[in-house]
Amino acid sequence: MTDSKNTDSSPRKGIYLLPNLLTTGGLFAGFFAIVSSMNGRFEAAAVAIFVAMIFDGLDGRVARLTNTQSEFGAQYDSMSDMLSFGVAPSLVAYNWGLADLGKFGWLAAFIFVACAALRLARFNANLSVTDGRFFQGLASPAAAAIIAGMVWTGSIYEIDGDNIGYLVGLLTIVTGLLMVSNFRYHSFKDVNWRDRVSFLAILCVLLVFVVIAARPAEMLFGIFFIYACSGPVTTIRSVRKLKLEHVVGDTNDADFADELQERNDAVKVDEPDNEPRP
């Protein structure tokens, strides 16, 4: 009887198959992007990074839906993200337009990799204390999408990346720095996907898919580029006075309060009472 109780209370060994299989798919897509860029197949490399984004979006949701979350899965997903959204985009950009720039080229690629690693480490460390409505800094998949979209668009229009190498390096560096910034980006986690919407909203979504399917490279690059620009705009609009800790700083500085909301609350308190006093 005692042995049976001990067996029942012992931790279960093994890993969950489905979510980790999806994570492996994203890892394979990131590795495929690196190999494709080394062989000069930049369009395939860029598409592979977007495929990795799809797998990255599925594994966590599948784990929550099937109640198969685990610490192993979280760590495995983080390592997969580092390859697919850190190493892969930087090497794709390097092989496409940075290889002929010498030190500037590989330093620009390294800055992106280092910022992606810092972004993932900070996200994992602050997972339980950050505001779920916003990302602190540009998410690594979105940053990778900008690099992949740039390379994909350039490949379609037969642009030689070496001819615009400094522009490629500048965009790679800026995108990397946005990942470690304190700019707040909407996570869209507060959207109620089970809520009812109008027929017009469904029609608009359908039209968006049609437009993206018609010009996937340009549209995806444009969408994620605009999203990257939205972080500074959202942060500036949400604070009364922009400070250094709103742009960059350690994790304690990043947990700034919504000063705009505090100001509105203070205004409401200071407003005179219109009701007649006895």
Side-chain angles (χ1 to χ4, degrees):
M1 181 67 69
T2 304
D3 294 339
S4 177
K5 291 182 179 180
N6 292 337
T7 303
D8 294 338
S9 61
S10 60
R12 300 178 63 180
K13 297 181 180 181
I15 59 175
Y16 294 108
L17 176 61
L18 185 56
N20 290 291
L21 188 62
L22 294 172
T23 303
T24 304
L27 183 65
F28 174 80
F31 182 77
F32 180 82
I34 297 174
V35 175
S36 297
S37 68
M38 294 172 61
N39 294 326
R41 301 173 56 199
F42 297 109
E43 184 175 352
V47 172
I49 293 176
F50 282 105
V51 172
M53 291 180 59
I54 296 175
F55 280 111
D56 181 66
L58 288 176
D59 58 3
R61 286 171 174 78
V62 169
R64 288 188 291 271
L65 288 174
T66 58
N67 196 24
T68 53
Q69 306 99 314
S70 65
E71 183 63 23
F72 174 86
Q75 297 300 325
Y76 186 34
D77 179 69
S78 182
M79 293 181 182
S80 174
D81 289 350
M82 180 59 202
L83 177 75
S84 300
F85 309 130
V87 178
S90 64
L91 289 180
V92 171
Y94 178 83
N95 292 325
W96 185 62
L98 300 176
D100 292 341
L101 298 182
K103 290 183 179 180
F104 176 78
W106 64 261
L107 283 175
F110 173 74
I111 289 174
F112 187 92
V113 173
C115 291
L118 292 171
R119 170 68 174 81
L120 291 169
R122 184 175 66 177
F123 177 80
N124 293 335
N126 297 339
L127 188 60
S128 59
V129 297
T130 54
D131 188 351
R133 299 172 302 169
F134 298 95
F135 290 130
Q136 179 188 344
L138 182 64
S140 56
I146 294 175
I147 303 300
M150 172 187 63
V151 175
W152 192 0
T153 303
S155 299
I156 289 178
Y157 288 96
E158 298 182 354
I159 299 175
D160 189 354
D162 295 331
N163 295 334
I164 56 172
Y166 285 101
L167 181 61
V168 175
L170 180 62
L171 184 61
T172 302
I173 293 173
V174 172
T175 305
L177 294 178
L178 285 176
M179 284 191 284
V180 295
S181 70
N182 286 340
F183 291 131
R184 299 198 294 179
Y185 289 88
H186 284 285
S187 64
F188 303 104
K189 293 182 179 180
D190 56 344
V191 176
N192 186 5
W193 300 103
R194 299 181 179 181
D195 196 9
R196 292 178 177 269
V197 295
S198 64
F199 179 80
L200 181 61
I202 297 297
L203 182 61
C204 291
V205 172
L206 178 62
L207 292 177
V208 169
F209 277 112
V210 171
V211 173
I212 293 177
R215 293 283 185 176
E218 299 92 327
M219 290 301 301
L220 289 174
F221 176 65
I223 290 173
F224 284 101
F225 185 84
I226 294 173
Y227 178 71
C229 295
S230 70
V233 175
T234 301
T235 303
I236 294 173
R237 291 182 59 186
S238 64
V239 297
R240 180 173 53 185
K241 182 179 179 182
L242 187 66
K243 300 178 182 178
L244 180 62
E245 58 265 25
H246 297 149
V247 179
V248 66
D250 58 26
T251 54
N252 293 327
D253 294 334
D255 296 330
F256 58 87
D258 191 340
E259 296 182 9
L260 181 60
Q261 184 64 38
E262 292 181 353
R263 184 181 64 179
N264 293 337
D265 294 341
V267 170
K268 292 180 180 180
V269 172
D270 295 337
E271 287 180 350
D273 192 354
N274 294 329
E275 295 182 0
R277 296 183 180 275

Coordinates of all heavy atoms in Angstrom, one line a residue, residues 196-260:
R196 N -18.3 38.2 -30.2 CA -19.0 38.4 -31.4 C -18.6 39.7 -32.1 O -18.3 40.7 -31.5 CB -20.5 38.4 -31.2 CG -21.1 37.1 -30.8 CD -22.6 37.2 -30.5 NE -23.2 35.9 -30.2 CZ -23.6 35.0 -31.0 NH1 -23.6 35.3 -32.3 NH2 -24.2 33.9 -30.6
V197 N -18.4 39.6 -33.5 CA -18.1 40.8 -34.2 C -19.1 40.9 -35.4 O -19.8 40.0 -35.7 CB -16.6 40.7 -34.8 CG1 -15.6 40.7 -33.7 CG2 -16.5 39.5 -35.7
S198 N -19.1 42.1 -36.0 CA -20.0 42.3 -37.1 C -19.5 41.7 -38.4 O -18.4 41.3 -38.5 CB -20.2 43.9 -37.3 OG -18.9 44.4 -37.7
F199 N -20.5 41.6 -39.3 CA -20.1 41.0 -40.6 C -19.1 41.8 -41.3 O -18.2 41.3 -42.0 CB -21.4 40.8 -41.4 CG -21.2 40.3 -42.8 CD1 -21.0 38.9 -43.0 CD2 -21.1 41.1 -43.9 CE1 -20.8 38.4 -44.3 CE2 -20.8 40.6 -45.2 CZ -20.7 39.2 -45.3
L200 N -19.2 43.1 -41.1 CA -18.2 44.0 -41.8 C -16.8 43.8 -41.3 O -15.8 43.8 -42.1 CB -18.6 45.5 -41.5 CG -17.7 46.6 -42.1 CD1 -17.7 46.4 -43.7 CD2 -18.1 47.9 -41.7
A201 N -16.6 43.5 -40.0 CA -15.3 43.2 -39.5 C -14.7 41.9 -40.1 O -13.5 41.9 -40.4 CB -15.4 43.0 -37.9
I202 N -15.5 40.9 -40.3 CA -15.1 39.7 -40.9 C -14.7 39.9 -42.4 O -13.7 39.4 -42.9 CB -16.2 38.6 -40.8 CG1 -16.4 38.2 -39.4 CG2 -15.7 37.3 -41.6 CD1 -15.3 37.6 -38.7
L203 N -15.4 40.8 -43.0 CA -15.1 41.2 -44.4 C -13.8 41.9 -44.5 O -13.0 41.6 -45.4 CB -16.3 42.0 -45.0 CG -16.1 42.4 -46.5 CD1 -16.0 41.2 -47.3 CD2 -17.3 43.3 -46.9
C204 N -13.6 42.8 -43.5 CA -12.3 43.5 -43.5 C -11.1 42.6 -43.3 O -10.1 42.7 -43.9 CB -12.3 44.6 -42.4 SG -13.5 46.0 -42.8
V205 N -11.3 41.6 -42.4 CA -10.2 40.6 -42.2 C -10.0 39.8 -43.4 O -8.8 39.5 -43.8 CB -10.6 39.7 -41.0 CG1 -9.6 38.5 -40.9 CG2 -10.7 40.5 -39.7
L206 N -11.0 39.4 -44.1 CA -10.9 38.7 -45.4 C -10.1 39.5 -46.4 O -9.2 39.0 -47.1 CB -12.2 38.3 -45.9 CG -12.3 37.6 -47.3 CD1 -11.5 36.2 -47.1 CD2 -13.7 37.4 -47.7
L207 N -10.4 40.8 -46.5 CA -9.7 41.7 -47.5 C -8.2 41.8 -47.1 O -7.4 41.9 -48.0 CB -10.4 43.0 -47.5 CG -11.8 43.1 -48.1 CD1 -12.4 44.5 -48.0 CD2 -11.7 42.6 -49.6
V208 N -7.9 41.9 -45.8 CA -6.5 42.0 -45.4 C -5.8 40.7 -45.8 O -4.6 40.8 -46.3 CB -6.5 42.2 -43.8 CG1 -5.0 42.0 -43.3 CG2 -7.0 43.5 -43.5
F209 N -6.4 39.6 -45.6 CA -5.7 38.3 -46.0 C -5.5 38.3 -47.5 O -4.5 37.8 -48.0 CB -6.6 37.1 -45.6 CG -6.3 36.7 -44.2 CD1 -7.3 36.8 -43.2 CD2 -5.1 36.1 -43.8 CE1 -7.1 36.5 -41.9 CE2 -4.9 35.8 -42.4 CZ -5.9 35.9 -41.5
V210 N -6.5 38.8 -48.3 CA -6.3 38.8 -49.8 C -5.2 39.7 -50.2 O -4.3 39.4 -51.0 CB -7.6 39.3 -50.4 CG1 -7.4 39.5 -51.9 CG2 -8.7 38.3 -50.2
V211 N -5.1 40.9 -49.5 CA -4.0 41.8 -49.9 C -2.6 41.2 -49.5 O -1.7 41.3 -50.3 CB -4.2 43.2 -49.1 CG1 -3.0 44.1 -49.3 CG2 -5.5 43.8 -49.7
I212 N -2.5 40.6 -48.3 CA -1.3 40.0 -47.9 C -0.9 38.9 -48.9 O 0.3 38.7 -49.2 CB -1.4 39.5 -46.5 CG1 -1.5 40.7 -45.5 CG2 -0.1 38.7 -46.1 CD1 -1.7 40.3 -44.1
A213 N -1.9 38.1 -49.3 CA -1.6 37.0 -50.2 C -1.1 37.5 -51.5 O -0.3 36.8 -52.2 CB -2.8 36.1 -50.3
A214 N -1.6 38.6 -52.0 CA -1.2 39.2 -53.3 C 0.2 39.7 -53.2 O 0.9 39.5 -54.2 CB -2.2 40.3 -53.7
R215 N 0.6 40.3 -52.2 CA 1.9 40.9 -52.0 C 2.5 40.5 -50.7 O 2.6 41.4 -49.8 CB 1.9 42.4 -52.2 CG 1.6 42.9 -53.6 CD 2.7 42.7 -54.5 NE 2.5 43.3 -55.9 CZ 3.4 43.3 -56.8 NH1 4.6 42.9 -56.6 NH2 3.1 43.8 -58.0
P216 N 2.8 39.3 -50.4 CA 3.2 38.9 -49.1 C 4.4 39.5 -48.5 O 4.5 39.9 -47.4 CB 3.3 37.3 -49.2 CG 3.6 37.1 -50.6 CD 2.8 38.1 -51.4
A217 N 5.5 39.6 -49.4 CA 6.7 40.2 -48.9 C 6.6 41.6 -48.5 O 7.0 42.0 -47.4 CB 7.8 40.0 -50.0
E218 N 6.0 42.5 -49.4 CA 5.9 43.9 -49.1 C 4.9 44.1 -48.0 O 5.2 45.0 -47.1 CB 5.4 44.6 -50.4 CG 6.3 44.5 -51.6 CD 6.0 43.4 -52.5 OE1 5.5 42.3 -51.9 OE2 6.2 43.5 -53.7
M219 N 3.8 43.4 -47.9 CA 2.8 43.7 -46.9 C 3.3 43.3 -45.5 O 3.1 44.0 -44.6 CB 1.5 42.9 -47.3 CG 0.8 43.5 -48.4 SD 0.3 45.2 -48.2 CE -0.7 45.1 -46.7
L220 N 3.9 42.1 -45.4 CA 4.4 41.7 -44.1 C 5.6 42.6 -43.6 O 5.6 42.9 -42.4 CB 5.0 40.2 -44.2 CG 3.9 39.1 -44.4 CD1 4.5 37.8 -44.7 CD2 3.0 39.1 -43.2
F221 N 6.4 43.0 -44.5 CA 7.5 43.9 -44.1 C 6.9 45.2 -43.7 O 7.3 45.8 -42.6 CB 8.4 44.1 -45.3 CG 9.5 45.2 -45.0 CD1 10.5 44.9 -44.0 CD2 9.5 46.4 -45.7 CE1 11.4 45.9 -43.8 CE2 10.5 47.3 -45.5 CZ 11.5 47.1 -44.5
G222 N 5.9 45.7 -44.4 CA 5.3 47.0 -44.0 C 4.5 46.9 -42.7 O 4.6 47.8 -41.9
I223 N 3.8 45.8 -42.5 CA 3.0 45.6 -41.3 C 3.9 45.6 -40.0 O 3.7 46.3 -39.0 CB 2.2 44.4 -41.3 CG1 1.0 44.5 -42.3 CG2 1.6 44.0 -40.0 CD1 0.3 43.3 -42.6
F224 N 5.0 44.8 -40.1 CA 5.9 44.7 -38.9 C 6.7 45.9 -38.8 O 7.1 46.3 -37.7 CB 6.7 43.4 -39.1 CG 6.0 42.2 -38.7 CD1 5.5 41.4 -39.7 CD2 5.7 41.8 -37.4 CE1 4.8 40.2 -39.4 CE2 5.0 40.7 -37.1 CZ 4.6 39.9 -38.1
F225 N 7.0 46.7 -39.9 CA 7.8 47.9 -39.7 C 6.9 49.0 -39.0 O 7.4 49.7 -38.2 CB 8.2 48.4 -41.1 CG 9.1 49.6 -41.1 CD1 10.4 49.5 -40.9 CD2 8.5 50.9 -41.3 CE1 11.3 50.6 -40.9 CE2 9.3 52.0 -41.2 CZ 10.7 51.9 -41.0
I226 N 5.7 49.0 -39.4 CA 4.8 50.0 -38.7 C 4.6 49.6 -37.3 O 4.6 50.4 -36.4 CB 3.4 50.0 -39.4 CG1 3.5 50.6 -40.8 CG2 2.4 50.8 -38.6 CD1 2.3 50.5 -41.7
Y227 N 4.5 48.3 -37.0 CA 4.4 47.8 -35.6 C 5.6 48.2 -34.8 O 5.5 48.6 -33.6 CB 4.2 46.3 -35.6 CG 4.1 45.7 -34.2 CD1 3.0 45.9 -33.4 CD2 5.1 44.9 -33.7 CE1 2.9 45.4 -32.1 CE2 5.1 44.4 -32.4 CZ 4.0 44.6 -31.6 OH 3.9 44.1 -30.3
A228 N 6.8 48.1 -35.4 CA 8.0 48.5 -34.7 C 8.0 50.0 -34.4 O 8.5 50.4 -33.3 CB 9.3 48.2 -35.6
C229 N 7.5 50.8 -35.3 CA 7.4 52.2 -35.1 C 6.3 52.6 -34.0 O 6.3 53.7 -33.4 CB 7.1 53.0 -36.4 SG 8.4 52.8 -37.6
S230 N 5.4 51.7 -33.8 CA 4.3 52.0 -32.9 C 4.7 52.0 -31.4 O 4.1 52.7 -30.6 CB 3.1 51.0 -33.0 OG 3.6 49.7 -32.5
G231 N 5.8 51.3 -31.1 CA 6.3 51.3 -29.7 C 6.6 52.7 -29.2 O 6.1 53.1 -28.1
P232 N 7.5 53.4 -29.9 CA 7.9 54.8 -29.4 C 6.6 55.7 -29.3 O 6.5 56.5 -28.4 CB 8.9 55.2 -30.4 CG 9.5 54.0 -31.0 CD 8.4 53.0 -31.0
V233 N 5.7 55.5 -30.3 CA 4.5 56.4 -30.3 C 3.6 56.1 -29.1 O 3.2 57.0 -28.4 CB 3.8 56.2 -31.6 CG1 2.4 57.0 -31.6 CG2 4.6 56.6 -32.8
T234 N 3.4 54.8 -28.8 CA 2.6 54.4 -27.7 C 3.2 54.8 -26.4 O 2.5 55.3 -25.5 CB 2.4 52.8 -27.7 OG1 1.8 52.4 -28.9 CG2 1.6 52.4 -26.5
T235 N 4.5 54.7 -26.3 CA 5.2 55.1 -25.0 C 5.1 56.6 -24.8 O 4.8 57.1 -23.7 CB 6.6 54.7 -25.0 OG1 6.7 53.3 -25.2 CG2 7.3 55.0 -23.7
I236 N 5.4 57.4 -25.8 CA 5.3 58.9 -25.7 C 3.9 59.3 -25.4 O 3.7 60.3 -24.6 CB 5.8 59.5 -27.0 CG1 7.3 59.2 -27.2 CG2 5.6 61.0 -27.0 CD1 7.9 59.6 -28.5
R237 N 2.9 58.7 -26.0 CA 1.5 59.1 -25.7 C 1.1 58.7 -24.3 O 0.1 59.3 -23.8 CB 0.6 58.5 -26.7 CG 0.8 59.1 -28.2 CD -0.2 58.5 -29.1 NE -1.6 58.7 -28.7 CZ -2.6 58.2 -29.3 NH1 -2.5 57.4 -30.3 NH2 -3.8 58.4 -28.9
S238 N 1.7 57.7 -23.7 CA 1.2 57.2 -22.4 C 1.9 57.9 -21.2 O 1.5 57.5 -20.1 CB 1.4 55.7 -22.4 OG 2.7 55.4 -22.4
V239 N 2.8 58.7 -21.4 CA 3.5 59.4 -20.3 C 3.4 60.9 -20.5 O 3.3 61.4 -21.6 CB 5.0 58.9 -20.3 CG1 5.1 57.4 -20.0 CG2 5.8 59.3 -21.5
R240 N 3.5 61.5 -19.3 CA 3.4 63.0 -19.3 C 4.7 63.6 -19.8 O 4.6 64.6 -20.5 CB 3.0 63.5 -17.9 CG 2.9 65.0 -17.8 CD 2.3 65.3 -16.4 NE 3.1 64.7 -15.4 CZ 2.9 64.8 -14.1 NH1 1.7 65.4 -13.7 NH2 3.6 64.3 -13.2
K241 N 5.8 63.1 -19.3 CA 7.1 63.6 -19.7 C 8.0 62.4 -20.0 O 8.2 61.6 -19.1 CB 7.7 64.5 -18.6 CG 9.0 65.1 -18.9 CD 9.5 65.9 -17.8 CE 10.9 66.5 -18.1 NZ 11.4 67.3 -17.0
L242 N 8.5 62.3 -21.2 CA 9.4 61.2 -21.5 C 10.7 61.3 -20.8 O 11.4 62.4 -20.8 CB 9.7 61.2 -23.0 CG 10.4 60.0 -23.6 CD1 9.5 58.8 -23.5 CD2 10.8 60.3 -25.1
K243 N 11.1 60.2 -20.1 CA 12.3 60.1 -19.4 C 13.2 59.0 -19.9 O 12.8 58.2 -20.7 CB 12.0 59.9 -17.9 CG 11.2 60.9 -17.2 CD 10.9 60.6 -15.8 CE 10.0 61.6 -15.1 NZ 9.7 61.3 -13.7
L244 N 14.5 59.0 -19.5 CA 15.4 58.0 -20.0 C 15.0 56.6 -19.7 O 15.1 55.7 -20.5 CB 16.8 58.3 -19.4 CG 17.9 57.3 -19.8 CD1 18.1 57.4 -21.3 CD2 19.2 57.6 -19.1
E245 N 14.4 56.4 -18.5 CA 14.0 55.1 -18.1 C 12.8 54.6 -18.9 O 12.5 53.4 -18.9 CB 13.6 55.0 -16.6 CG 12.5 55.9 -16.2 CD 13.1 57.2 -15.6 OE1 14.2 57.6 -16.0 OE2 12.4 57.9 -14.8
H246 N 12.1 55.5 -19.6 CA 11.0 55.1 -20.5 C 11.6 54.5 -21.9 O 10.8 53.9 -22.6 CB 10.1 56.2 -20.8 CG 9.4 56.7 -19.6 ND1 9.0 58.0 -19.4 CD2 9.0 56.1 -18.5 CE1 8.4 58.2 -18.2 NE2 8.4 57.0 -17.7
V247 N 12.8 54.8 -22.1 CA 13.4 54.4 -23.4 C 14.4 53.2 -23.2 O 14.3 52.2 -23.9 CB 14.2 55.6 -24.0 CG1 14.9 55.2 -25.3 CG2 13.3 56.8 -24.3
V248 N 15.2 53.3 -22.2 CA 16.2 52.2 -21.9 C 16.5 52.2 -20.5 O 16.4 53.2 -19.8 CB 17.4 52.4 -22.8 CG1 18.2 53.7 -22.4 CG2 18.3 51.2 -22.8
G249 N 16.9 51.1 -19.9 CA 17.2 50.9 -18.5 C 17.1 49.5 -18.1 O 16.9 48.6 -18.9
D250 N 17.3 49.3 -16.8 CA 17.3 47.9 -16.3 C 15.8 47.5 -16.0 O 14.9 48.3 -16.3 CB 18.1 47.7 -15.0 CG 17.7 48.7 -13.9 OD1 16.5 49.1 -13.9 OD2 18.5 49.0 -13.0
T251 N 15.6 46.3 -15.5 CA 14.3 45.8 -15.4 C 13.4 46.6 -14.4 O 12.2 46.7 -14.5 CB 14.3 44.3 -15.0 OG1 15.1 44.2 -13.8 CG2 14.9 43.5 -16.1
N252 N 14.1 47.2 -13.4 CA 13.3 48.0 -12.4 C 12.8 49.3 -13.0 O 11.7 49.7 -12.7 CB 14.2 48.3 -11.2 CG 14.5 47.0 -10.4 OD1 13.7 46.1 -10.3 ND2 15.7 47.0 -9.8
D253 N 13.7 49.9 -13.8 CA 13.3 51.1 -14.5 C 12.1 50.9 -15.5 O 11.3 51.8 -15.7 CB 14.5 51.7 -15.3 CG 15.6 52.2 -14.4 OD1 15.3 52.5 -13.2 OD2 16.7 52.2 -14.8
A254 N 12.1 49.7 -16.0 CA 11.1 49.4 -17.0 C 9.7 49.3 -16.5 O 8.7 49.6 -17.2 CB 11.4 48.1 -17.7
D255 N 9.5 49.1 -15.2 CA 8.2 48.9 -14.6 C 7.6 50.3 -14.3 O 7.2 50.5 -13.1 CB 8.2 48.0 -13.4 CG 8.6 46.6 -13.8 OD1 8.3 46.2 -14.9 OD2 9.2 45.9 -13.0
F256 N 7.6 51.2 -15.2 CA 7.1 52.6 -14.9 C 5.6 52.5 -15.0 O 5.0 51.8 -15.7 CB 7.7 53.6 -15.9 CG 7.4 53.3 -17.3 CD1 6.2 53.7 -17.9 CD2 8.3 52.6 -18.1 CE1 6.0 53.5 -19.3 CE2 8.1 52.4 -19.4 CZ 6.9 52.8 -20.0
A257 N 5.0 53.4 -14.2 CA 3.6 53.5 -14.1 C 3.0 54.3 -15.3 O 3.7 55.0 -15.9 CB 3.1 54.2 -12.8
D258 N 1.8 54.1 -15.6 CA 1.1 54.8 -16.7 C 0.9 56.2 -16.1 O -0.2 56.5 -15.5 CB -0.2 54.1 -17.0 CG -0.7 54.7 -18.3 OD1 -0.4 55.8 -18.7 OD2 -1.5 54.0 -18.9
E259 N 1.8 57.1 -16.4 CA 1.7 58.5 -15.9 C 0.5 59.2 -16.5 O -0.1 60.1 -15.8 CB 3.0 59.2 -16.2 CG 4.2 58.6 -15.5 CD 5.4 59.5 -15.8 OE1 5.3 60.5 -16.3 OE2 6.5 59.0 -15.4
L260 N 0.1 58.9 -17.7 CA -1.1 59.5 -18.2 C -2.3 59.2 -17.5 O -3.2 60.1 -17.2 CB -1.2 59.1 -19.7 CG -2.4 59.8 -20.4 CD1 -2.3 61.3 -20.4 CD2 -2.5 59.2 -21.9

